[in-house]
Amino acid sequence: MTTTMQGSEMFAQMTGRAVEAFSVLADANQKIMRDLVDLSASTAKEGVRLYAELSSSAVEALKDTQSYLLRRQGEMQEAPRDPFAVYQKSVLESVEGTQKAFKLFESNAQAMTRSAERLQVTAEQTGKEIQATFAQVAGTVKSLSVTLP
């Protein structure tokens, strides 16, 4: 009879520990999923931020282009009177426009770099949190299995 009771107690302990292990795994799964959802939300937020920054640069470039075309339209009326002055002014404006374009490309590249750096930091932090969760789960499950009689 004692052997039957000992067997029942051992089975009850094993069942309890199995339930506890499944509970620990479910909690870890929930935490990891929450971390991944937070990472996805941060990535989306960063994408929107970058899109807004690039869009404002594009709008600024469009305004510059539009004002350039309006100036050129007015200058074309003066071309028959002093073609050399119009040509000289066109060359200067072309150089300035090229410089503005390179500055725009540079600022866009810097914005993309900053965005990538922020995403990298967020991804590394999420990775560390997930590793810590796995380490905690491994330790808990190991402690549950070691203490069996």
Side-chain angles (χ1 to χ4, degrees):
M1 179 101 169
T2 54
T3 307
T4 307
M5 287 181 62
Q6 287 176 346
S8 295
E9 286 177 23
M10 188 169 145
F11 182 73
Q13 275 185 341
M14 288 174 54
T15 303
R17 290 190 180 154
V19 168
E20 191 175 343
F22 285 128
S23 174
V24 166
L25 291 173
D27 290 343
N29 187 35
Q30 186 177 16
K31 184 183 180 325
I32 290 168
M33 290 303 291
R34 186 173 37 248
D35 290 342
L36 291 174
V37 166
D38 289 345
L39 176 62
S40 295
S42 295
T43 301
K45 183 178 174 183
E46 189 59 43
V48 168
R49 180 187 301 171
L50 178 62
Y51 176 75
E53 200 168 334
L54 295 177
S55 293
S56 70
S57 294
V59 167
E60 185 179 323
L62 186 62
K63 286 180 183 178
D64 286 346
T65 302
Q66 193 175 30
S67 66
Y68 171 77
L69 290 175
L70 289 174
R71 282 193 313 270
R72 294 297 300 155
Q73 189 177 22
E75 291 171 359
M76 283 299 141
Q77 294 172 358
E78 297 175 18
R81 286 180 265 164
D82 191 4
F84 183 72
V86 172
Y87 173 75
Q88 186 177 18
K89 194 171 186 179
S90 294
V91 169
L92 289 174
E93 283 194 12
S94 295
V95 170
E96 288 175 8
T98 304
Q99 288 175 339
K100 283 183 182 181
F102 279 117
K103 286 179 184 177
L104 177 67
F105 290 137
E106 181 183 15
S107 69
N108 285 347
Q110 288 173 351
M112 292 172 74
T113 301
R114 286 190 304 270
S115 179
E117 288 170 351
R118 286 190 293 262
L119 284 173
Q120 180 180 2
V121 167
T122 304
E124 286 175 356
Q125 182 181 1
T126 300
K128 288 177 183 177
E129 290 174 5
I130 290 172
Q131 282 179 330
T133 301
F134 277 126
Q136 181 183 5
V137 167
T140 304
V141 171
K142 186 177 180 180
S143 71
L144 286 173
S145 65
V146 169
T147 58
L148 282 175

